[in-house]
């Protein structure tokens, strides 16, 4: 029997801590219950929820059905002396999955440690950190076609993974496919770690670690993130609210000529990725607070809910930031957070 709840509070299911209610809510733990739920509610809006760490509800009441993806499990699919294919279902906690791979002696995901969210959400955003992205190791994605009820697979190439983007975010297919599981191709043999990030190098030097292991790198990333990012259990937030914009190298140099606080990183032969935090700091909004919404002082790319802010409060605050950056710097800042109407 389906355990569908009515007028269900989502306050503990979104890391902004917004007190929003869902008309209907269910935590599905297998594909059969998922199919039954979709069959029962064919004509109302549906939102699929992971850990709620990258979303912003604009209204205090969601008129449709919220389906919490609770399908879990992880296993080794195939391996040889040097490589291994591992599969994790969508409801698995991403950080716990990364920890599991490291403990198994599998390498490739260690730079993505402590990113909040679920395995199912990882390909949609092509999550990345400290020089690594999901696309570096992703092999295939298993999805459920909501309209046809067919289960199919997407290869890494078909997922069209780019910086903070994928095929699953394209307008014509958005909300059409529900990710059920993700498979990764990892290394079993110890390889040289990706420690090219300036922050990682500094932390390794501070820790006096000269030949880091994946465990060392995981600890390094924990230390960095713990210093920079607020704990959503204490201060409501969704991590990085904005996407670091990508511009031509010449455009960055022009900006830096006038504003020395703007920071850029290599992205491709002729393009750079600008730190959104440095843009927010440049317009003087670092640590700024209006009501219960603010820019986190240690990491300006993070917007925080200091108490009783609504989704609209946070949204309008973010719009003020993007408007000022466009007016002063000529840069269009996009949101990384998924806005739910």
């Amino acid at each position: 029997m389906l355990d569908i709840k009515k007028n269900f509070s989502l306050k503990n299911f979104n890391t902004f801590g917004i007190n929003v209610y869902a008309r209907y809510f269910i935590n599905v733990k297998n594909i059969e219950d998922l199919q039954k739920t979709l069959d029962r509610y064919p004509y109302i809006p549906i939102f699929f929820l992971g850990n709620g760490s990258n979303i912003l509800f604009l209204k205090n009441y969601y008129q449709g059905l919220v389906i919490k993806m609770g399908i879990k499990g992880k296993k080794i699919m195939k391996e040889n002396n040097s490589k291994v294919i591992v599969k994790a279902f969508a409801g698995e906690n991403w950080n716990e999955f990364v920890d599991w791979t490291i403990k198994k002696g599998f390498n490739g995901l260690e730079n993505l440690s402590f990113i909040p969210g679920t395995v199912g959400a990882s390909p949609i955003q092509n999550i990345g950190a400290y020089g690594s992205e999901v696309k570096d190791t992703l092999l295939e994605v298993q999805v459920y076609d909501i309209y046809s009820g067919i289960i199919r697979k997407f290869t890494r190439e078909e997922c069209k993974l780019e910086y903070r983007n994928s095929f699953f975010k394209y307008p014509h297919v958005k909300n059409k496919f529900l990710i059920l599981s993700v498979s990764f191709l990892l290394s079993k043999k110890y390889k040289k770690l990706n420690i090219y990030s300036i922050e990682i190098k500094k932390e390794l030097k501070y820790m006096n670690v000269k030949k880091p292991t994946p465990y060392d790198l995981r600890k390094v990333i924990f230390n960095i993130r713990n210093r920079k990012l607020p704990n959503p259990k204490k201060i409501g937030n969704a991590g990085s609210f904005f996407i670091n914009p990508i511009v031509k190298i010449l455009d960055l140099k022009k900006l830096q000529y006038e504003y020395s606080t703007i920071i850029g990183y290599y992205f491709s032969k002729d393009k750079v990725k600008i730190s959104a935090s440095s843009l927010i700091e440049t317009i003087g909004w670092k640590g700024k607070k209006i009501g219960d919404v603010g820019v986190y002082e240690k990491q300006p790319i993070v917007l925080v809910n200091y108490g009783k802010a609504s989704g609209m409060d946070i949204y309008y605050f973010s719009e003020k930031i993007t408007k000022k950056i466009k007016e002063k710097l000529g840069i269009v800042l996009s949101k990384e957070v998924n806005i739910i109407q």
Side-chain angles (χ1 to χ4, degrees):
M1 184 175 179
L2 298 177
D3 184 20
I4 298 175
K5 304 182 188 314
K6 295 182 179 180
N7 298 320
F8 185 79
S9 174
L10 299 175
K11 186 172 183 178
N12 295 326
F13 290 83
N14 72 99
T15 57
F16 263 123
I18 297 171
N19 194 22
V20 55
Y21 287 81
R23 182 181 177 188
Y24 301 109
F25 174 90
I26 184 171
N27 183 3
V28 296
K29 298 183 179 180
N30 56 66
I31 295 176
E32 291 74 21
D33 282 353
L34 171 64
Q35 292 171 322
K36 289 178 183 177
T37 302
L38 293 173
D39 289 341
R40 181 177 291 189
Y41 298 97
Y43 304 116
I44 67 173
I46 295 175
F47 176 68
F48 293 101
L49 179 69
N51 279 356
S53 57
N54 194 46
I55 59 174
L56 176 65
F57 286 98
L58 291 191
K59 299 176 182 177
N60 292 331
Y61 192 83
Y62 182 73
Q63 291 287 348
L65 166 67
V66 173
I67 299 179
K68 175 81 168 65
M69 282 302 293
I71 304 175
K72 296 185 177 182
K74 49 188 180 290
K75 55 185 175 179
I76 298 170
M77 302 298 291
K78 190 176 180 181
E79 62 181 316
N80 58 30
N81 291 333
S82 61
K83 299 287 184 180
V84 60
I85 297 174
V86 296
K87 177 180 180 179
F89 286 90
E92 282 289 328
N93 177 281
W94 173 260
N95 181 54
E96 291 176 5
F97 169 61
V98 173
D99 187 48
W100 177 79
T101 65
I102 293 174
K103 287 178 178 176
K104 287 285 186 182
F106 308 149
N107 305 138
L109 298 177
E110 49 276 351
N111 285 59
L112 305 180
S113 292
F114 301 104
I115 293 178
T118 58
V119 168
S122 64
I124 298 174
Q125 285 287 107
N126 183 28
I127 59 173
Y130 306 108
S132 293
E133 292 179 312
V134 155
K135 72 175 183 180
D136 300 331
T137 53
L138 185 139
L139 185 65
E140 69 177 22
V141 175
Q142 185 184 54
V143 305
Y144 181 83
D145 188 322
I146 295 171
Y147 299 111
S148 70
I150 296 173
I151 295 175
R152 59 169 293 190
K153 293 179 180 179
F154 282 86
T155 64
R156 174 169 50 194
E157 291 72 26
E158 289 173 325
C159 290
K160 301 185 185 301
L161 302 173
E162 300 174 345
Y163 175 65
R164 298 300 181 272
N165 198 16
S166 71
F167 172 76
F168 304 108
K169 294 180 74 174
Y170 289 10
H172 69 287
V173 297
K174 192 174 182 182
N175 300 324
K176 173 179 170 61
F177 298 112
L178 172 64
I179 293 178
L180 298 176
S181 67
V182 187
S183 296
F184 299 88
L185 178 62
L186 305 178
S187 173
K188 289 178 68 175
K189 291 187 176 180
Y190 183 76
K191 64 177 184 178
K192 188 175 181 181
L193 298 177
N194 182 347
I195 55 173
Y196 303 109
S197 162
I198 294 175
E199 289 180 291
I200 287 177
K201 287 181 179 179
K202 287 182 178 179
E203 189 67 20
L204 285 171
K205 186 176 181 181
Y206 175 78
M207 292 171 59
N208 196 29
V209 176
K210 296 180 180 179
K211 294 182 179 180
T213 66
Y215 284 103
D216 292 325
L217 184 51
R218 186 166 165 79
K219 185 176 181 181
V220 162
I221 292 171
F222 172 80
N223 291 343
I224 295 171
R225 295 181 72 90
N226 196 44
R227 283 199 303 267
K228 290 170 53 177
L229 302 174
N231 185 340
K233 293 180 180 180
K234 297 179 179 179
I235 305 176
N237 74 93
S240 297
F241 195 94
F242 302 103
I243 297 174
N244 294 319
I246 297 169
V247 301
K248 293 181 179 179
I249 293 175
L250 184 60
D251 292 333
L252 173 63
K253 289 183 177 180
K254 289 178 180 178
L255 282 169
Q256 289 178 325
Y257 180 78
E258 189 171 358
Y259 306 101
S260 60
T261 51
I262 296 178
I263 300 170
Y265 305 98
Y266 173 83
F267 183 78
S268 66
K269 186 178 180 180
D270 60 343
K271 292 184 178 180
V272 288
K273 182 169 57 179
I274 295 181
S275 161
S277 284
S278 71
L279 295 176
I280 295 169
E281 185 173 355
T282 299
I283 63 168
W285 275 56
K286 181 179 180 181
K288 189 175 181 64
K289 181 181 177 184
I290 298 177
D292 274 350
V293 187
V295 174
Y296 193 57
E297 193 169 48
K298 296 180 181 179
Q299 183 68 310
I301 200 173
V302 176
L303 302 188
V304 295
N305 176 5
Y306 284 111
K308 298 181 179 179
S310 68
M312 290 303 296
D313 291 336
I314 296 169
Y315 179 79
Y316 285 135
F317 185 89
S318 72
E319 286 290 283
K320 290 178 183 293
I321 292 174
T322 55
K323 183 180 178 181
K324 286 187 176 294
I325 288 176
K326 180 66 170 62
E327 290 175 347
K328 185 172 183 176
L329 307 174
I331 298 289
V332 177
L333 201 58
S334 301
K335 296 174 180 63
E336 183 171 338
V337 169
N338 188 16
I339 306 295
I340 312 300
Q341 299 283 353

